[in-house]
Amino acid sequence: MGPMMNSLLRVSVVALLIGLGVSALAAPRPSLPPAERDPDGPKYASMARCNTKDCHGADAAKGSPALNEYTLWKAADPHSKAFTTLYKAPSKAIGTAMAIAKVHESAKCLSCHSKVVEPANVVEGQKWSVQNGVSCEVCHGPSEKWIDPHATPKEKAWSHEKSIAAGMDDLRDPVAWTAKCASCHLQIDHDMVTAGHPRLHFEIVDYNARTGAHWKTEKHPSMQAGFDAKIWTIGQAVSYAEALRNVEKRIAAKAPEEGVREAREQAAAHRWILKQVAGFADTEVPVDAEKQAKSLAPADESVLGKLGDAPKSFAAARQAALAFRALSKKADAKAAIDKMCEQIAPKNEATFDAGQFAADYDAVKKLFK
């Protein structure tokens, strides 16, 4: 067992001994389970308030915001199909292995494939349906107190900041945005993986590129020059923090050694790249990693030449390859980068060849010396 693994184990054990538990180290999530919500807090107004033609359901872009965000989400964003995935054969097979008769009704599955909201937490006269998958309010937060005024901002003298104060999750903030995504796309219980659920690997720039980008209008921060480099760096730090929580969670759950090893490997992948290219101060405490995420300087193409020897684990190879894809501006390097990235597609984890990856990685890296 290496020094990092020993250190991670010590952090987790100490946290448990002093009575903090795993959850105390975790940053608070923007959307808590219904039973934990403040009864006087904002309620969910349902997707029906968002997807009309006059709101975010327009057929084509109209300006900024474009007002066709729902249309793009429905057509191109995998989140819109997150619930229906639970009806497919692979999901049912995972359920069978875990003794879950109906995965589409399982709180364990719905926590990331949709959201269970009790009727008491829904605006009167509206209906919440888990069948909508990862829909508007799952990511943007309960909209009861901001949905009407944000629709007529000039009339109401309403700003984005006022929406945040009224309960909207601030997904224009790269740290909050990445943390929201990583909470489902990086953490996963070991028993689900054992039952056949794919291991989760997360990198925010690659992830955003595959989600239809329904938020992209000219005023959105993601349209500013250098945004991908900025969020790539932040994403690595936030992902490292989330991966550390996954390690703690598996240790606390007495996961098999293999399950803990996989979680440590994922944390090590993010830490490896942060230490080399992002001026990251050494830490193995999740909240410290998240604090650093807010102040790390954005990476740029120059950091690619600083990467060390090709990593041998699939998790680290994936982060290294996607760093080249996110940060490279060399048009003549694209084909070589894409070839390298083919090897680290999640579906290829079982057949990953570290030797072949090293050869392609070294060839790509030479282009950035």
Side-chain angles (χ1 to χ4, degrees):
M1 186 178 289
M4 179 185 173
M5 294 181 180
N6 283 325
S7 183
L8 285 170
L9 180 59
R10 286 195 299 272
V11 169
S12 300
V13 171
V14 169
L16 290 170
L17 287 176
I18 64 177
L20 290 175
V22 176
S23 62
L25 286 175
R29 294 284 173 251
S31 296
L32 298 173
E36 299 177 29
R37 291 199 66 83
D38 179 354
D40 297 322
K43 297 181 179 182
Y44 290 82
S46 86
M47 193 170 68
R49 298 289 305 277
C50 308
N51 63 8
T52 65
K53 298 291 186 182
D54 293 329
C55 292
H56 294 285
D59 293 328
K62 295 183 177 181
S64 184
L67 302 183
N68 68 334
E69 289 81 7
Y70 167 82
T71 307
L72 292 175
W73 171 85
K74 187 68 174 175
D77 196 322
H79 291 98
S80 67
K81 300 174 179 62
F83 177 79
T84 57
T85 296
L86 298 178
Y87 284 101
K88 294 184 177 180
S91 298
K92 292 181 179 180
I94 294 168
T96 298
M98 297 181 68
I100 299 174
K102 297 180 179 180
V103 290
H104 62 280
E105 295 179 358
S106 166
K108 193 176 186 74
C109 303
L110 291 172
S111 63
C112 279
H113 282 262
S114 185
K115 185 176 182 66
V116 177
V117 177
E118 299 299 331
N121 285 322
V122 179
V123 172
E124 187 176 353
Q126 299 298 321
K127 181 180 179 181
W128 181 267
S129 174
V130 296
Q131 295 181 16
N132 290 328
V134 182
S135 55
C136 312
E137 290 173 290
V138 176
C139 290
H140 292 279
S143 66
E144 176 191 24
K145 297 183 179 180
W146 53 263
I147 190 165
D148 287 332
H150 102 287
T152 54
K154 292 181 180 179
E155 177 184 327
K156 303 287 186 181
W158 196 258
S159 64
H160 178 69
E161 290 70 27
K162 286 186 177 181
S163 290
I164 301 304
M168 177 187 279
D169 291 336
D170 189 5
L171 300 188
R172 293 184 188 177
D173 174 68
V175 174
W177 182 2
T178 306
K180 167 72 80 169
C181 302
S183 65
C184 268
H185 286 276
L186 203 151
Q187 278 205 47
I188 184 169
D189 292 345
H190 69 92
D191 57 342
M192 295 188 77
V193 176
T194 301
H197 194 294
R199 281 181 64 188
L200 298 181
H201 301 278
F202 180 74
E203 193 284 301
I204 186 67
V205 179
D206 173 70
Y207 169 76
N208 284 344
R210 294 183 288 108
T211 55
H214 63 267
W215 58 83
K216 284 199 169 184
T217 55
E218 66 267 22
K219 292 181 182 179
H220 193 273
S222 64
M223 300 302 288
Q224 297 173 4
F227 180 82
D228 276 359
K230 179 180 179 181
I231 202 170
W232 177 85
T233 310
I234 288 170
Q236 289 296 329
V238 170
S239 295
Y240 178 51
E242 204 68 22
L244 287 174
R245 293 194 180 98
N246 211 24
V247 173
E248 295 171 342
K249 184 178 178 181
R250 292 192 181 188
I251 290 173
K254 294 182 171 58
E257 183 178 344
E258 177 66 11
V260 177
R261 183 196 65 77
E262 288 179 351
R264 286 190 176 120
E265 188 178 89
Q266 184 71 53
H270 295 290
R271 183 175 184 272
W272 173 78
I273 206 164
L274 281 165
K275 289 286 290 179
Q276 293 184 82
V277 304
F280 188 75
D282 206 2
T283 183
E284 291 170 0
V285 179
V287 290
D288 289 347
E290 285 173 331
K291 287 178 183 177
Q292 288 190 66
K294 298 178 181 180
S295 58
L296 289 174
D300 58 36
E301 189 179 69
S302 68
V303 308
L304 298 174
K306 301 176 183 177
L307 290 174
D309 293 339
K312 292 181 173 57
S313 77
F314 179 84
R318 180 168 170 79
Q319 296 308 317
L322 293 176
F324 281 96
R325 176 173 280 176
L327 301 175
S328 170
K329 296 183 181 299
K330 293 181 182 293
D332 58 351
K334 185 178 185 304
I337 291 171
D338 286 346
K339 180 175 180 288
M340 177 175 60
C341 286
E342 286 175 10
Q343 299 177 60
I344 50 82
K347 65 180 180 180
N348 295 331
E349 181 171 6
T351 58
F352 176 67
D353 184 334
Q356 180 60 54
F357 178 81
D360 289 347
Y361 173 88
D362 290 341
V364 168
K365 203 170 75 162
K366 286 178 182 177
L367 301 174
F368 294 86
K369 290 295 188 183

